[in-house]
Amino acid sequence: MEKYKCKSVGIIGSGIQGICIGLQLIKKGIPVTIFDRLDPLSLEYKSASYGNAGHFSPYAVLQFNRTDILTDVPKMLLSSNGPLALKWNHMLKMTPWFFHYLKNFNQKSMLHTAKYMHQILSLSNDAYEDIFKEIDMTNLIEKKGIIYVWTNKNLKSRELEIKVRNDLGIEQKLLTQKEILELEPNLNPVFDAGVIYEDAMHARDPHGILKKIFKLFLSKGGKFIQENISSLKQSNVRETIIKSEKNEYTFEKSVIATGAFSKNLTDQLGEKIPLDTERGYHVHFKNMDHLVSRPIIFLDRGFGMTPMRQGLRAVGTVELGGLKNPPSKKRIEYIVKCAKELLPQLEEYDDEWLGFRPTLPDFLPIIGPSLKNKNIIYAFGHHHLGWTLGAITGKIISGIVAEEKTNLDLSPYSSKRFN
Ligand SMILES: Cc1cc2nc3c(=O)[nH]c(=O)nc-3n(C[C@H](O)[C@H](O)[C@H](O)COP(=O)(O)OP(=O)(O)OC[C@H]3O[C@@H](n4cnc5c(N)ncnc54)[C@H](O)[C@@H]3O)c2cc1C
């Protein structure tokens, strides 16, 4: 029997998922067109994949459906000056998300999420290394690990994280305050201890890396069309139609990789997927990247700093507020305050940015075919870890498109869990 070969694929979204999927497909000899309303090579491009903290975090298996924070969440939501915030006008719209979140807020779901995040996270760095072999990565990546610091206030949470990671065999090295200061002497010692993930790496310019992967995709024959996509459907067994306001395109298969914006398209396909967004922010302290050698995350504050080409990028907070609310000045002020607490020498900042983490209420992404339209494939919902998971998602989705066998258990990532 002749081996199946997909004739054409349309990908909606040129974030890190869309671009990595495109690259893997074109490498298999399948013609691909990526659509995005923004050109990844332009200055206007400001997706989540542009402004994130740049951590490649294969260890980050625990997410916010963790049992230790159950009593803290309402308290944090009511405080306007903490790491978690809520835009009250979005509450009603978020009801389905909260409903599923509460269902997943237990020990069993927490460990299920950790196990299946680990399955893909443990492959994530190798998947990137394969791509990086084909790109000049000079000054784009640093391999110095990532440090998390904490105070002794929430030690129960720290113990839980350490145990879950130990159980999964994830390497972690606990550090005393003194050891942290030896590695990062400029830090103000307002923390008590921490951990370093020595195998972790960070991007010195996430957008710069994304542009390089995108150019590699184009150089191999991939196509890009800058248009806003308004609808998508499967018209018959071997045909999907992507429509923009002006044009209509036909492909054998299509992929939805529009991050936090994917719900608009999946609703049209008749699937009830409770995707929402955790909004996050960044600012840059220009020319201050020399103050730390690697990313530092202050767990008690829900914020972190990454040394980048653009300066020291201070990033963080989770704001539940949907896609349409304007940015919140208070969130920016919070991040700036946290950064200055760790590095009092910081002064002026600029480049205020708001980004949308695509988050499902069980904190697993959706990677796999649509339930009703088998030629439409989903690749979204990577929440806090979409940058880390871009390359491995590209590999998995390209395998699904090409109908290849895999040893991975992909069933936990199916949208079936919500339908
Ligand atoms: C503050 C912050 C910090 C983060 N830090 C990290 C980190 O350190 N490490 C990590 O692993 N992850 C991190 N993340 C998460 C990560 O950035 C995201 O999960 C990831 O970028 C999502 O990638 P994506 O390709 O799914 O979506 P996106 O990057 O959002 O791309 C989606 C694309 O789809 C396009 N699009 C949407 N709708 C349409 C339409 N209808 N028609 C045409 N185009 C459309 C958009 O223009 C966009 O370009 C962070 C996120 C935030 C917000």
Side-chain angles (χ1 to χ4, degrees), residues 12 53-54 64 79 118 124 220 223 226 321 338 358 390 419:
I12 316 171
F64 288 117
S79 155
H118 182 56
S124 61
K220 290 182 185 290
K223 288 199 185 121
Q226 187 178 353
C338 291
N419 282 276

Side-chain angles (χ1 to χ4, degrees), residues 144-162:
K144 294 182 175 168
I146 298 183
I147 292 182
Y148 287 65
V149 299
W150 58 69
T151 68
N152 284 338
K153 222 171 125 199
N154 300 310
L155 281 184
K156 272 223 155 73
S157 290
R158 305 298 77 90
E159 283 161 12
L160 173 80
E161 286 155 11
I162 293 163

Side-chain angles (χ1 to χ4, degrees), residues 15-17 36-37 48-49 52-55 229 383-388:
I16 194 66
Q17 318 306 327
D36 201 301
R37 52 189 171 220
S49 302
N52 59 67
H55 308 162
I229 300 308
H383 54 86
H384 294 245
L385 290 162
W387 178 251
T388 305

Side-chain angles (χ1 to χ4, degrees), residues 6 8-35 49 127-128 131 210 213-214 216-218 220 222-223 253-259 262 365-369 375-382 386-387 389-402 404:
C6 179
S8 61
V9 179
I11 300 174
I12 316 171
S14 72
I16 194 66
Q17 318 306 327
I19 286 178
C20 289
I21 296 164
L23 178 65
Q24 296 301 340
L25 286 170
I26 210 89
K27 279 184 167 184
K28 289 185 193 294
I30 300 172
V32 188
T33 304
I34 297 181
F35 296 85
S49 302
Y128 268 115
I131 297 178
L210 183 137
I213 302 176
F214 181 58
L216 182 64
F217 162 77
L218 295 176
K220 290 182 185 290
K223 288 199 185 121
K253 294 188 179 179
S254 290
V255 180
I256 301 181
T258 37
S262 303
I366 291 186
I367 302 176
N375 283 354
I376 296 178
I377 293 137
Y378 297 159
F380 57 81
H382 297 73
W387 178 251
L389 291 170
I392 185 63
T393 301
K395 276 197 161 177
I396 295 172
I397 294 283
S398 65
I400 293 173
V401 168
E404 291 166 357

